[in-house]
Amino acid sequence: MFTDSHCHLSMPELVQELPRIRAAMQEARVDRALCICTVLEEFEAVHALAAGYDNFWASVGVHPDNEDVREPDVDTLVALSQRPKVIAIGETGLDYYQMEERKGGRSIAELEWQRERFRVHIRAAQRVRKPLVIHTRDASADTLAILREEGEQGGAQAAGGVFHCFTETAEVARAALDLGFYISFSGILTFKKAQELRDVARFVPLDRLLIETDSPYLAPVPHRGKVNNPSYVPFVAAQIGELRGMSAEAVGELTSRNFDQLFLGGTDA
Ligand SMILES: [Zn+2]
Ligand SMILES: [Zn+2]
């Protein structure tokens, strides 16, 4: 079996195709998926998927790229995370990618709101003892620094979690692993130019690995450029298998166990 640890099934291009996607998942033996929330405004739609299907779960959080949306506070995140089948806080983190094009030429100093929002998520996760789903792009130093400042050094209060859609260096992976976090790889791992990332995937301990699609984005080879969906996550497993001398199925099994360990408290809830 395979578990997609990060997808956006509530987005229109996927939710409209849900019966077809669920059939494709079954065919591909992708038994489970975690549906990720990116704005509070979509939380009910994300949660409805988890409430409607035994094999879907939900997160609650606001993505660092989203501006002009409802700003989360700790109490709101805590309250929503108590709903049934909400198993993670996020996605949250920092995104300094293409500041000129995507952030209107603002400086990193001007993105203090992103860092404050990230701290709010960490505090909520610690309060409810649920793991964080972390998005970090071109911002790894600040991401790691804030995690440390907020007490994510593996102490009793730490929420832990996963660095999702990992695209950073081996050094960043080591730092995340040292903090006790898991590392999740997406279809990017199958892209021709991702050799450096494949080198990272070679050394991440097998008990800290997760796989994801981040669908509808980032479809793995051989579906690159198409709309992604959770039934494609075995292609990520196959790529890791190739790097580690294992079958795709074995990677599917071990990453499913890791998913249980991180998000379901070691039980198969
Ligand atoms: Zn992300
Ligand atoms: Zn995402």
Side-chain angles (χ1 to χ4, degrees), residues 27-48:
E27 181 84 5
R29 298 181 54 241
V30 180
D31 296 344
R32 307 183 300 179
L34 174 51
C35 302
I36 300 290
C37 179
T38 60
V39 283
L40 292 178
E41 289 84 343
E42 74 173 355
F43 174 74
E44 291 301 336
V46 175
H47 188 255

Side-chain angles (χ1 to χ4, degrees), residues 21-249:
I21 290 170
R22 286 186 59 82
M25 286 174 68
Q26 200 173 3
E27 181 84 5
R29 298 181 54 241
V30 180
D31 296 344
R32 307 183 300 179
L34 174 51
C35 302
I36 300 290
C37 179
T38 60
V39 283
L40 292 178
E41 289 84 343
E42 74 173 355
F43 174 74
E44 291 301 336
V46 175
H47 188 255
L49 288 164
Y53 300 94
D54 283 352
N55 59 340
F56 290 162
W57 286 264
S59 74
V60 60
V62 182
H63 191 291
D65 272 341
N66 292 321
E67 295 184 64
D68 305 319
V69 295
R70 198 174 141 207
E71 192 59 38
D73 55 44
V74 174
D75 288 342
T76 302
L77 292 172
V78 165
L80 294 176
S81 76
Q82 302 300 323
R83 303 268 292 273
K85 295 188 82 182
V86 179
I87 57 172
I89 305 295
E91 58 180 294
T92 181
L94 303 175
D95 195 320
Y96 301 162
Y97 178 63
Q98 292 184 334
M99 294 291 291
E100 194 58 46
E101 298 89 326
R102 297 168 75 246
K103 300 282 179 242
R106 280 172 291 174
S107 68
I108 286 171
E110 288 171 284
L111 298 189
E112 186 55 30
W113 59 271
Q114 267 196 15
R115 293 182 286 275
E116 190 46 46
R117 183 187 283 175
F118 183 28
R119 290 180 194 278
V120 163
H121 284 80
I122 299 169
R123 289 166 194 169
Q126 291 173 346
R127 198 184 306 166
V128 298
R129 314 210 52 77
K130 294 189 187 202
L132 289 155
V133 175
I134 295 193
H135 170 107
T136 184
R137 192 150 66 147
D138 283 4
S140 56
D142 281 4
T143 299
L144 290 163
I146 289 174
L147 285 169
R148 291 189 189 103
E149 283 166 26
E150 294 292 332
E152 286 296 313
Q153 316 233 41
Q157 83 293 354
V162 55
F163 278 54
H164 106 88
C165 194
F166 195 81
T167 52
E168 304 291 329
T169 61
E171 195 186 355
V172 175
R174 276 192 202 96
L177 290 164
D178 285 347
L179 290 179
F181 279 71
Y182 289 64
I183 306 272
S184 178
F185 291 100
S186 70
I188 292 176
L189 203 61
T190 68
F191 295 177
K192 212 170 179 174
K193 282 185 179 157
Q195 191 51 51
E196 203 186 326
L197 193 61
R198 284 189 282 277
D199 292 339
V200 176
R202 267 183 240 277
F203 82 80
V204 173
L206 293 176
D207 62 355
R208 296 284 199 87
L209 268 177
L210 292 172
I211 54 173
E212 67 175 85
T213 57
D214 205 9
S215 50
Y217 317 111
L218 301 170
V221 173
H223 299 291
R224 191 169 180 188
K226 293 197 212 135
V227 176
N228 198 1
N229 78 75
S231 75
Y232 293 163
V233 83
F235 293 103
V236 182
Q239 178 66 74
I240 293 175
E242 198 176 302
L243 296 168
R244 309 294 292 246
M246 303 170 71
S247 67
E249 287 71 23

